[in-house]
């Protein structure tokens, strides 16, 4: 079975540009999470969805960040405009129905904003 | 905000030795989990222990939970070079999603 799929794996962009990160959760999972990982702040939960509905977006740092989940098999995290401090590894994770406890992580997108 | 704090931040051992990592947390939890992250990869779930459990085993892993002290430990026995990774504890409370600590970096040399 395919795990969580993220694209792109690496992204280098210039400050001010729009960045879109994509995630395909494991089929049948109904929770989807977006995390950001940096050396300074560790792993931070940005937002999570249940059945495509955003449940908690309190971790989204600013209005420059937005996330959508138009259907059960696809989610995007958008940063517009991007800034150098957004440089991090962004992970998507999903969980099976009925539990958000055990999460399955994707390989991450390494974002560098110059 | 981070809930779990792992200790030590870094640990270096020889193959065959045991590795012990600790995690402390601040508020009441429903369960506590340990994850492993190999360099450049996503996190992999290792083991979950519920708040009413005190000890759990999975292969070479042993996890303990002391809710009175708000702490947990992860023991890896007979470590191997392939165990080299960062290890994170994560907690779940009522109405909350996982909150991760900053991790312990384990290095196992052959």
């Amino acid at each position: 079975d395919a795990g969580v799929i993220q694209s792109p794996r690496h992204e280098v962009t210039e400050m001010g540009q729009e960045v879109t990160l994509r995630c395909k959760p494991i089929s049948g999972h109904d929770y989807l999470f977006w995390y950001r990982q940096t050396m300074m702040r560790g792993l931070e939960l940005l937002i999570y969805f249940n059945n495509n509905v955003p449940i908690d977006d309190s971790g989204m740092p600013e209005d420059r960040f937005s996330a959508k989940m138009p259907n059960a098999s696809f989610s995007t995290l958008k940063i517009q405009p991007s800034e150098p401090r957004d440089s991090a590894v962004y992970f998507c994770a999903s969980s099976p129905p009925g539990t958000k406890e055990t999460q399955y992580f994707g390989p991450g997108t390494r974002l560098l904003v110059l | 905000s981070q809930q779990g704090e792992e200790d030590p931040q870094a640990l270096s051992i020889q193959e065959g030795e045991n590795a012990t990592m600790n995690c402390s947390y601040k508020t009441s939890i429903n369960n506590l989990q340990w994850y492993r992250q190999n360099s450049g990869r996503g996190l992999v779930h290792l083991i979950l222990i519920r708040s009413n459990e005190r000890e759990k085993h999975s292969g070479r892993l042993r996890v303990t939970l002391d809710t009175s002290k708000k702490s947990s430990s992860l023991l890896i026995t007979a470590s191997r070079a392939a165990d080299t990774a960062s290890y994170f504890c994560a907690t779940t409370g009522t109405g909350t999603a996982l909150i991760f600590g900053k991790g312990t970096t384990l290095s196992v040399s052959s």
Side-chain angles (χ1 to χ4, degrees):
Chain A
D1 286 341
V4 174
I5 298 172
Q6 291 187 247
S7 65
R9 293 294 310 278
H10 302 273
E11 177 82 26
V12 180
T13 191
E14 293 188 345
M15 183 173 63
Q17 296 297 307
E18 178 180 293
V19 175
T20 299
L21 311 181
R22 297 173 176 80
C23 175
K24 177 179 169 56
I26 293 172
S27 177
H29 284 193
D30 64 358
Y31 281 95
L32 184 139
F33 306 82
W34 282 101
Y35 290 90
R36 177 173 67 177
Q37 187 177 38
T38 62
M39 289 293 293
M40 289 296 294
R41 300 175 66 89
L43 197 65
E44 302 173 281
L45 176 64
L46 300 177
I47 184 171
Y48 78 93
F49 297 82
N50 182 222
N51 291 319
N52 313 336
V53 176
I55 302 300
D56 184 356
D57 65 354
S58 60
M60 296 285 265
E62 300 168 34
D63 290 345
R64 298 184 297 106
F65 285 69
S66 62
K68 293 182 180 179
M69 191 165 186
N71 57 61
S73 58
F74 184 66
S75 177
T76 59
L77 178 67
K78 187 175 291 187
I79 308 172
Q80 167 63 19
S82 58
E83 297 183 3
R85 59 193 168 123
D86 301 330
S87 298
V89 182
Y90 291 81
F91 289 101
C92 175
S94 67
S95 290
T99 175
K100 55 182 184 293
E101 295 175 337
T102 301
Q103 298 180 14
Y104 297 80
F105 280 74
T109 294
R110 188 173 296 273
L111 173 64
L112 177 61
V113 183
L114 302 174
Chain B
S1 60
Q2 282 177 323
Q3 163 82 303
E5 291 287 336
E6 291 90 344
D7 169 62
Q9 288 187 334
L11 180 61
S12 293
I13 59 174
Q14 298 285 320
E15 252 188 339
E17 294 180 338
N18 296 340
T20 300
M21 289 159 268
N22 302 297
C23 170
S24 59
Y25 56 92
K26 298 173 184 174
T27 62
S28 296
I29 61 170
N30 291 339
N31 62 66
L32 184 144
Q33 304 178 53
W34 286 90
Y35 284 77
R36 183 187 72 225
Q37 183 179 32
N38 291 86
S39 180
R41 303 285 186 91
L43 280 73
V44 175
H45 179 259
L46 294 177
I47 194 166
L48 179 152
I49 186 166
R50 301 200 179 278
S51 59
N52 61 355
E53 297 175 310
R54 291 297 167 257
E55 187 171 314
K56 205 161 183 180
H57 296 255
S58 176
R60 294 184 295 113
L61 305 180
R62 172 177 168 253
V63 171
T64 62
L65 179 64
D66 187 335
T67 53
S68 66
K69 295 181 179 179
K70 292 186 169 58
S71 68
S72 173
S73 67
L74 170 67
L75 169 68
I76 303 174
T77 60
S79 62
R80 305 166 182 168
D83 295 327
T84 294
S86 292
Y87 292 82
F88 296 86
C89 68
T91 56
T92 306
T94 302
T96 66
L98 281 182
I99 302 176
F100 286 85
K102 283 197 171 183
T104 291
T105 299
L106 173 65
S107 176
V108 182
S109 53
S110 54

